[in-house]
Amino acid sequence: MIKIIDNKCDFCGTCVTVCPVDCIEVREASISIDHPICIDCDLCVEICPILVLETVDEV
Amino acid sequence: MKSSYDVVVVGGGPAGSMAAWEAAKGGASVCMLEKDRDIGYPVRCGEAASDLGLRQFVEPKDSWIAKKISGAVIVSPNESKVHVKFANETGYILNRRIFDYDLSRYAANAGAEVYTKAYVKELLKSEETVTGVVVDHLGEEKKISAKIIIGADGLTSRIGRWAGIKTQIRMKDMESCVQYSVSNIDVDPDNMIMYVGENFAPGGYLWVFPKGDKFANIGIGISGKHSKYKSAKAYLDEFMAREFPNAAILTTMCGGVPCAKPIKHPIKNGIMLVGDAAHQVNPMTGGGIVSGMKGGWLAGQVAADAIAKGDYSEKTLIAYPEKLRKDFGKNHERFYKIKEATAALTMDELNSIAENVLKIPFEKRTLASVFKAAVFKKPSLIIDVLKVLSGV
Ligand SMILES: Cc1cc2nc3c(=O)[nH]c(=O)nc-3n(C[C@H](O)[C@H](O)[C@H](O)COP(=O)(O)OP(=O)(O)OC[C@H]3O[C@@H](n4cnc5c(N)ncnc54)[C@H](O)[C@@H]3O)c2cc1C
Ligand code: SF4
Ligand code: SF4
């Protein structure tokens, strides 16, 4: 599962461009991931310039 | 905000403002929606643009220009510095905060309505045609119908995806970027500096663009192919610690640049994409201000014509990508080929290219000579280099 580290995101939307299933929403000052749609491909984790996203085990 | 317009533009960057401006000038009723509180802020950009580029649309204003630039210094992996003077060109480092704002004012003065804090969260469709948007404006949800939607929503462009246009960018073509606005540094005030090579910025480059006295935009873009091993921020921080340990970092921001070929068919019935949303960025340099403006400018004109004709189908809107290809589209495809060839160069090859170019006397050195040396492995690309750089 993709975890968003609190208070780190700059809301630039770069992760949105590479997501194959369009499950990331970035607004002026918020980011959310639609987990049921996410396919855990990790591309968003790899592209984020400031390491906001992490892969964690499903809880 | 009304419930219906001829044209709704989503996104208030340079591409969106140009589209709104041209469509309004052409007689259409236009509404431009921007999700953020301000037009032009936050600035996610190195802010470099050429005088000739901007002049295609507007007379550059002094208040837009932070610094005039007369040349470029390209730094190779072993730190050889190749200085090239711009031939017929003046470069600018802009104040995009003011520049973007003014472009939106031009659109507004031509009759376009502009709304900020207006996030478009859904497209309205009827069968195969886009017919409007759902917007959250200051916390209130509204439906707006439109004959034509122009998606100028930047690199994220979910508008395009929702309309069924393939906008997803391949990792190798996506540049992962961080930039600092930095003060208290000694920096060459007349030249833009670009560091190339895997040690500085794999699959991209690191830039120092002077903005004023002891003040510069210092940023980096690395290819998504490499960003999983080490982040853009890690590369930039190492550079800053080495080169500018006493710098005051006044702004930190990150972003992305789509360095792909432009989308060939950025339209569907009732919708066009412009700017970053349509990958209208020079894939070699990552510059997207002027080409995005051109995309918006052309799309705005085509939209106004389509409204006058009363036909908003793909059949009419196709005039937009056709004009685009004749303008910079073909050149961007050439730049893409050159980028692919130069991305494959090793650090040793880049060093020896720098050595060779340095043998050319300074007065005779041009950007074309640098590019020609850079595509030595694929001599067939020299024709492309000459075509894209003719005149530079
Ligand atoms: C780090 C970095 C450095 C760069 N340096 C340069 C440079 O030196 N020179 C150059 O020419 N180019 C540069 N670029 C590229 C340049 O910034 C872009 O190509 C240019 O801004 C594209 O303009 P645009 O209008 O298409 O998109 P943008 O300027 O990104 O504008 C899109 C707008 O749409 C809004 N939006 C998005 N989604 C929605 C929605 N759903 N509803 C409402 N509004 C929405 C956004 O808030 C944004 O304001 C750089 C880019 C980056 C990231
Ligand atoms: S790429 Fe990183 S900083 Fe940018 S919106 Fe995504 S998570 Fe946030
Ligand atoms: S892991 Fe893949 S599918 Fe999930 S949000 Fe990230 S990019 Fe999208």
Side-chain angles (χ1 to χ4, degrees), chain A residues 15-52:
Chain A
C15 50
V16 177
T17 63
V18 296
C19 176
V21 293
D22 190 29
C23 69
I24 311 176
E25 181 177 71
V26 173
R27 293 203 183 191
E28 184 179 18
S30 71
I31 173 166
S32 57
I33 293 177
D34 194 341
H35 290 290
I37 298 178
C38 170
I39 55 170
D40 288 304
C41 69
D42 280 0
L43 294 182
C44 55
V45 178
E46 292 171 14
I47 203 75
C48 176
I50 54 170
L51 307 176
V52 171

Side-chain angles (χ1 to χ4, degrees), chain A residues 26, chain B residues 10-17 33-36 38 40-41 44-49 96 100 118-121 152-159 162 177-179 192 205 207 209 220 253-258 274-277 280-281 285-290 292:
Chain A
V26 173
Chain B
V10 183
S17 285
L33 304 167
E34 166 55 52
K35 75 173 171 23
D36 292 348
D38 273 297
Y41 184 80
R44 299 188 190 282
C45 187
E47 308 180 281
R96 274 201 56 187
D100 284 27
Y119 175 76
V120 172
K121 59 177 186 185
D153 49 336
L155 80 160
T156 58
S157 195
R158 298 184 79 203
I159 301 297
W162 298 335
C177 308
V178 184
Q179 182 179 271
M192 48 204 298
Y205 64 92
W207 64 86
F209 291 171
I220 187 172
M253 67 83 186
C254 65
V257 183
V274 299
D276 276 13
Q280 290 163 355
V281 171
T285 62
I289 301 172
V290 169

Side-chain angles (χ1 to χ4, degrees), chain B residues 103-294:
Chain B
L103 291 185
S104 74
R105 287 179 42 233
Y106 293 161
N109 293 346
E113 290 177 28
V114 179
Y115 296 94
T116 50
K117 283 250 171 218
Y119 175 76
V120 172
K121 59 177 186 185
E122 208 183 309
L123 282 185
L124 299 169
K125 287 190 232 175
S126 137
E127 291 166 20
E128 291 296 288
T129 301
V130 178
T131 57
V133 297
V134 182
V135 59
D136 268 343
H137 182 228
L138 296 166
E140 221 180 288
E141 184 180 300
K142 285 180 188 153
K143 285 197 172 93
I144 304 178
S145 62
K147 293 168 182 155
I148 296 174
I149 312 288
I150 297 182
D153 49 336
L155 80 160
T156 58
S157 195
R158 298 184 79 203
I159 301 297
R161 290 201 193 197
W162 298 335
I165 301 170
K166 206 180 152 294
T167 64
Q168 188 195 340
I169 300 165
R170 287 183 298 181
M171 288 296 272
K172 79 178 182 72
D173 288 337
M174 191 63 210
E175 292 286 308
S176 176
C177 308
V178 184
Q179 182 179 271
Y180 299 143
S181 299
V182 179
S183 204
N184 189 33
I185 50 167
D186 285 319
V187 57
D188 177 349
D190 302 316
N191 291 292
M192 48 204 298
I193 309 174
M194 279 121 116
Y195 293 78
V196 297
E198 252 166 74
N199 51 335
F200 292 118
Y205 64 92
L206 187 153
W207 64 86
V208 177
F209 291 171
K211 271 196 95 171
D213 184 32
K214 290 169 125 344
F215 184 37
N217 287 334
I218 303 184
I220 187 172
I222 67 173
S223 160
K225 202 167 113 186
H226 300 280
S227 57
K228 70 173 153 193
Y229 305 110
K230 183 166 155 185
S231 70
K233 182 172 187 299
Y235 280 99
L236 185 61
D237 286 343
E238 279 175 14
F239 176 84
M240 292 301 294
R242 204 169 54 234
E243 300 287 326
F244 300 114
N246 299 321
I249 296 174
L250 306 186
T251 315
T252 302
M253 67 83 186
C254 65
V257 183
C259 288
K261 290 185 203 167
I263 297 178
K264 272 225 168 78
H265 201 73
I267 58 167
K268 292 259 176 197
N269 291 328
I271 185 163
M272 294 185 266
L273 300 183
V274 299
D276 276 13
H279 309 171
Q280 290 163 355
V281 171
N282 178 329
M284 178 81 216
T285 62
I289 301 172
V290 169
S291 43
M293 287 170 79
K294 182 53 82 66

